Amino acid sequence: MGESADQINQKETCLTLREICFQAVREHYAALGIQAVIDLPTPLIKDLLLHLTVCQLDELQPALNKRGISTHAGWIGILQEMRGLNHAINFHTEEEAKQEVMRILFTLIFYGYSSQFVQKNITNLNTPSFLLTAAKCIKYFLLDTTVESLTADRRHLLKLLEKGIRTVCVSKCMDLSDRTTDLFVLHRLLDHGVARKVVMDVQCSLMLSWILLHRGSQFVSPELRCLMQKKMATCNLQAYSASADRASCSLCIRTAASEDQDDHIPCKRLKLDCVEEKESGKANRSVDLQVLCQSFAPSEGPSAGACPLGRIESLEIRKCRSDSFAVLNNALPTCFYLRSLTLHSIATFRDTDVLGLAKALKQLTESSRCSLTELSISILPYTGLVEFLLDANPNLTSLHVEIQTAMVGSRLLLHHPGAEDPDMPELPLEKLSVKVAELQQTDLHFIRTVLRHCPHLTSLHVAGMRLPTGSSQNLLLSTLSGSNRLLTSLHLEDVKLSDCLPEILNLLRDCKLEELRLNDCRLLERWSDKQESLHQLVTALKMLPSLHTLSLAQNRIAKHVCVLADLFSGPSPSPLKRLNISSNFILPAELLEFSKRLRRHPPPQRLTLDLRKNPGDRDPDTWSSALQKLQPFCVSLVEEWSSSNTMADYISNM
């Protein structure tokens, strides 16, 4: 029977009163106290989470966790409000979601940036209590515009940031020729704090040289050395004219009496001191960090001795150019503490820069003190340079390369001594990612050779390997089946696999995959019986008891999506936790049928289902009905979709 008008009005009235009560708790939270909220029934608390402020959520989280209640829904709700309906939120734990909320909001409030969410919640966010709460949570700090307040009225924030920040992102050039709060804050985070990762999001080789100096390398760039000498001359002049003003020079250069006179004139050559300061006995610290510290906070500077020097263990350069390579390639041989190096550019790197990098890596490796095991570099001009990098550091356990094939005429005519050697040594690689626009058969042969010599490989990501017409990727899959049986994560993207179903099934029988992503692989393109072939794939996937993540995005599964519901049927359902079927041109009626089948055979555990970039607006009511049927056993990731946008439709059909 249908509901009467009175019943409907009564429900709407109850919902309105419920909302009013939630808002009252939010507004009078301080007067009510934590215990009043904790004592509420669990279902009521879960609904209340979506109405609390950031600080209230943070304060309640420990007590709620003790009751077995997660604040995940509250943090996700805040992220959805900040980003809008067009962005699906995919954070699986409350801590991940909380970190993202705090990172975004701290940056917005601290630097005074505006957003609709901030304007709406300005009363609760633009307060000292919020910044303190966020500063205790965040691990990532963006050094942008002015940070002068951290040396004045917000000095207490800097103390908290020193204790928690693990990554510092530098997005502005700093003036090394004068005292700056930027240098002081960077020094406190890197040297007095626990930050061990630096992200350079600005083109400034001089700044890069200063950051690396004595925090992982002994190299001093010519530009920095000349700047140091100028500052030394200025400091000497100040000391001569007024010794009382000596402390005002925050970048005073400390030199050893035993140094050669040649070092006191403008530098015209590179100088690489491969021996650490404590071993050489030279007080060659180029920037007197103690003076810098005491000039901003005299009472907090160490009473005796020098400021500590942090160790940079991870370095990421997002706008890497030749001048960056000039500094990095000279600094690397003494970067003994560096564990991870990421170099990225929107333009293709020059051969000479990459070969210089390989030479520097080899010097570092030969020092026997090398700790670098992770390397990510993009964009290489051709695949052959990968071998030089692998040879330079045979201890790499993680390698990520992006290759944009340059014109053959632009390549240097190089012959690597081991390029034709079939006895390539066994490589300790555990993670390998190769993204390339177009491969030749010789390039595919090289990649297969690398794979055959990586028996410990657990994670592989291959993207964009477009072979010439008539070629097949079956050799790649056969290599994986025979040589890489420890794989737990396989991600193939923009790799044509429509003629490789037998090899895919064979691979699934011989591996222990936990994550499988076959995105934009045109799986169904050449299958004569798409329904039956997809059923064979599903049957093979069900035989993997370790598989928890599956992505089949951009494969135009469309009306055949119902076959995927069979993943959870039968006596041995798949243990999947996450299923991505986005960008598959799944119509509302097809999703509804999928939801009905899934309802008959629900997943053994709550499933995160990615449905983004599917044309749900073709029939909004049917789409909404399908989502409602999925709700009891799925967390559906959806976005607003407009089929009137022909480009969006085209992308979904790719």
Side-chain angles (χ1 to χ4, degrees), residues 40-176:
L40 291 173
T42 298
L44 202 57
I45 291 177
K46 290 182 177 180
D47 291 340
L48 175 63
L49 292 177
L50 299 175
H51 300 270
L52 297 175
T53 69
V54 173
C55 290
Q56 290 167 359
L57 267 178
D58 175 72
E59 186 179 6
L60 283 168
Q61 182 171 314
L64 290 177
N65 288 164
K66 289 182 179 179
R67 277 195 58 182
I69 301 174
S70 171
T71 57
H72 181 261
W75 297 113
I76 292 296
I78 293 173
L79 282 173
Q80 287 177 333
E81 189 175 352
M82 286 195 294
R83 295 183 174 182
L85 296 176
N86 286 328
H87 296 275
I89 310 300
N90 197 11
F91 291 94
H92 302 300
T93 67
E94 64 178 352
E95 204 56 38
E96 289 175 344
K98 176 181 177 179
Q99 288 273 337
E100 184 69 2
V101 168
M102 293 300 192
R103 181 190 67 81
I104 295 172
L105 291 180
F106 181 89
T107 302
L108 292 174
I109 299 301
F110 180 78
Y111 289 114
Y113 300 144
S114 183
S115 72
Q116 289 184 355
F117 181 85
V118 169
Q119 291 175 356
K120 180 181 177 181
N121 297 274
I122 192 66
T123 304
N124 301 309
L125 293 176
N126 195 17
T127 64
S129 61
F130 165 73
L131 286 175
L132 283 172
T133 298
K136 294 175 184 177
C137 298
I138 60 175
K139 308 296 181 186
Y140 180 100
F141 181 76
L142 175 66
L143 191 58
D144 188 23
T145 66
T146 178
V147 292
E148 291 182 357
S149 63
L150 291 178
T151 64
D153 57 314
R154 288 175 172 172
R155 183 57 193 265
H156 55 288
L157 283 181
L158 182 57
K159 292 181 179 179
L160 290 175
L161 295 174
E162 287 177 19
K163 296 177 182 178
I165 294 299
R166 300 293 193 273
T167 301
V168 180
C169 178
V170 181
S171 64
K172 58 183 285 190
C173 284
M174 302 179 193
D175 185 5
L176 300 185

Side-chain angles (χ1 to χ4, degrees), residues 331-351:
L332 265 179
T334 53
C335 288
F336 302 124
Y337 303 116
L338 193 63
R339 299 179 185 275
S340 174
L341 176 62
T342 300
L343 308 176
H344 178 72
S345 173
I346 58 174
T348 304
F349 292 139
R350 298 191 311 178
D351 304 61

Side-chain angles (χ1 to χ4, degrees), residues 431-591:
K431 296 181 180 180
L432 176 62
S433 176
V434 181
K435 295 184 179 182
V436 59
E438 186 171 350
L439 287 186
Q440 301 299 319
Q441 288 289 359
T442 53
D443 297 325
L444 177 59
H445 175 73
F446 168 70
I447 293 175
R448 291 179 58 223
T449 300
V450 172
L451 290 173
R452 282 197 295 267
H453 290 81
C454 295
H456 308 290
L457 199 67
T458 59
S459 176
L460 176 64
H461 181 188
V462 177
M465 285 179 50
R466 299 173 185 172
L467 295 176
T469 304
S471 301
S472 175
Q473 298 287 3
N474 54 13
L475 292 177
L476 173 66
L477 295 174
S478 298
T479 300
L480 294 178
S481 298
S483 304
N484 309 109
R485 301 195 173 210
L486 297 181
L487 274 180
T488 58
S489 177
L490 176 61
H491 185 179
L492 301 181
E493 180 182 0
D494 193 14
V495 177
K496 189 175 180 181
L497 300 177
S498 56
D499 59 344
C500 299
L501 181 59
E503 288 77 18
I504 294 174
L505 299 179
N506 184 55
L507 175 63
L508 294 177
R509 283 193 293 267
D510 295 334
C511 67
K512 299 178 181 179
L513 288 177
E514 297 174 6
E515 302 178 37
L516 175 61
R517 294 178 172 87
L518 304 177
N519 295 346
D520 192 15
C521 291
R522 288 159 281 177
L523 284 175
L524 282 65
E525 187 176 278
R526 291 190 180 181
W527 292 354
S528 56
D529 189 339
K530 294 178 172 52
Q531 189 98 351
E532 174 57 28
S533 297
L534 188 57
H535 181 74
Q536 291 181 41
L537 179 61
V538 166
T539 301
L541 290 169
K542 289 176 64 175
M543 301 301 292
L544 287 174
S546 56
L547 191 68
H548 59 69
T549 299
L550 173 63
S551 178
L552 299 174
Q554 276 187 274
N555 279 294
R556 197 166 174 77
I557 294 175
K559 63 182 180 181
H560 305 290
V561 66
C562 296
V563 178
L564 297 180
D566 292 339
L567 282 165
F568 309 104
S569 64
S572 301
S574 172
L576 272 182
K577 297 179 182 178
R578 289 179 285 276
L579 175 61
N580 183 353
I581 49 176
S582 61
S583 300
N584 270 297
F585 205 67
I586 299 171
L587 295 172
E590 295 158 0
L591 183 66

Side-chain angles (χ1 to χ4, degrees), residues 200-252:
M200 287 289 294
D201 199 17
V202 63
Q203 296 176 352
C204 186
S205 58
L206 186 60
M207 192 67 226
L208 176 63
S209 181
W210 185 86
I211 288 174
L212 289 177
L213 183 58
H214 297 290
R215 297 186 183 91
S217 172
Q218 308 303 309
F219 170 72
V220 186
S221 70
E223 295 84 359
L224 183 59
R225 179 173 292 279
C226 291
L227 177 63
M228 288 153 40
Q229 290 162 356
K230 290 179 182 178
K231 291 304 298 180
M232 181 186 67
T234 303
C235 289
N236 288 339
L237 180 62
Q238 290 175 342
Y240 177 78
S241 60
S243 59
D245 294 333
R246 186 175 302 174
S248 66
C249 180
S250 64
L251 295 179
C252 180

Side-chain angles (χ1 to χ4, degrees), residues 612-652:
R612 289 174 288 183
K613 293 184 174 64
N614 283 302
D617 67 324
R618 297 290 181 89
D619 185 349
D621 292 338
T622 301
W623 185 264
S624 178
S625 177
L627 292 179
Q628 289 178 1
K629 291 183 181 298
L630 291 169
Q631 188 175 5
F633 39 84
C634 288
V635 176
S636 298
L637 304 180
V638 294
E639 293 176 346
E640 288 185 343
W641 177 265
S642 176
S643 293
S644 60
N645 186 337
T646 55
M647 179 56 69
D649 256 359
Y650 171 75
I651 293 173
S652 182

Side-chain angles (χ1 to χ4, degrees), residues 218-329:
Q218 308 303 309
F219 170 72
V220 186
S221 70
E223 295 84 359
L224 183 59
R225 179 173 292 279
C226 291
L227 177 63
M228 288 153 40
Q229 290 162 356
K230 290 179 182 178
K231 291 304 298 180
M232 181 186 67
T234 303
C235 289
N236 288 339
L237 180 62
Q238 290 175 342
Y240 177 78
S241 60
S243 59
D245 294 333
R246 186 175 302 174
S248 66
C249 180
S250 64
L251 295 179
C252 180
I253 309 305
R254 187 182 289 179
T255 58
S258 60
E259 277 194 296
D260 297 333
Q261 287 293 326
D262 289 342
D263 287 334
H264 299 297
I265 62 175
C267 184
K268 295 182 180 180
R269 56 187 168 82
L270 297 179
K271 180 179 180 182
L272 178 63
D273 182 2
C274 292
V275 184
E276 285 189 288
E277 179 180 338
K278 64 180 181 180
E279 295 175 348
S280 66
K282 292 183 179 181
N284 60 352
R285 292 186 60 173
S286 10
V287 178
D288 196 328
L289 298 177
Q290 185 179 18
V291 174
L292 178 64
C293 255
Q294 292 179 338
S295 65
F296 282 99
S299 61
E300 296 184 19
S303 57
C307 283
L309 282 171
R311 297 177 177 179
I312 295 178
E313 298 177 357
S314 179
L315 175 64
E316 179 179 347
I317 305 176
R318 292 179 177 173
K319 299 176 181 178
C320 192
R321 302 185 308 182
S322 289
D323 56 349
S324 304
F325 275 109
V327 172
L328 185 63
N329 291 349

